[in-house]
Amino acid sequence: MIDKDNELQMDVVVPEEVEKEKEESLEQEGGERGASPEKEKKRFFYSKKVCRFCTGQIKKEEVTYKNVELLRRYIMPSGKILPRRITGTCTKHQRVLVAEIKKARILALLPFLAR
């Protein structure tokens, strides 16, 4: 057959025996076509984040609007409050934390936005 670019193209017929050998070798390796065994091994396991307030690393009395250093750990550089899924705090303590951050913002101890 002649293509538009005047190149000669030939249809290649692969014998059935060759195809069977390829399939058998893939089955022995335990992989599928196009999938490498390296990709199957790459699985990411994340360690469960534990609430630092529940474990006692941070005392309940320390979480106040006056403790700006502690509250800054839970704020992004842009000024947003970090969510629970990132910080690992439990629901109960995240609510307390957010309330104290908002109090500190109103008293101008923490910024609303970073410019």
Side-chain angles (χ1 to χ4, degrees):
M1 294 171 52
I2 299 177
D3 197 18
K4 292 180 182 178
D5 298 327
N6 295 331
E7 292 181 17
L8 184 63
Q9 289 185 346
M10 295 173 33
D11 293 330
V12 179
V13 179
V14 180
E16 292 179 16
E17 296 171 357
V18 175
E19 287 183 13
K20 287 181 184 179
E21 288 176 10
K22 284 183 183 178
E23 289 176 7
E24 289 174 1
S25 66
L26 285 174
E27 288 175 5
Q28 289 175 356
E29 293 175 5
E32 296 179 13
R33 272 193 173 163
S36 66
E38 294 173 4
K39 289 184 181 180
E40 292 176 11
K41 292 180 183 178
K42 288 185 181 179
R43 292 193 178 154
F44 299 102
F45 294 100
Y46 299 102
S47 61
K48 178 102 171 126
K49 294 179 182 172
V50 183
C51 180
R52 293 173 44 184
F53 301 98
C54 292
T55 58
Q57 292 177 354
I58 300 173
K59 296 178 183 174
K60 190 175 181 180
E61 298 83 31
E62 291 180 17
V63 185
T64 62
Y65 66 92
K66 297 174 188 177
N67 194 351
V68 180
E69 292 92 27
L70 175 72
L71 298 178
R72 279 205 178 123
R73 293 182 198 163
Y74 296 94
I75 295 178
M76 291 183 197
S78 62
K80 292 182 179 181
I81 299 171
L82 287 170
R84 281 184 52 225
R85 62 184 167 82
I86 294 174
T87 60
T89 57
C90 65
T91 309
K92 175 184 170 183
H93 291 110
Q94 180 72 16
R95 285 191 199 119
V96 173
L97 195 63
V98 168
E100 295 300 318
I101 289 172
K102 289 180 181 180
K103 285 180 192 176
R105 283 177 173 174
I106 290 170
L107 293 172
L109 299 173
L110 289 174
F112 280 95
L113 294 173
R115 293 194 182 230

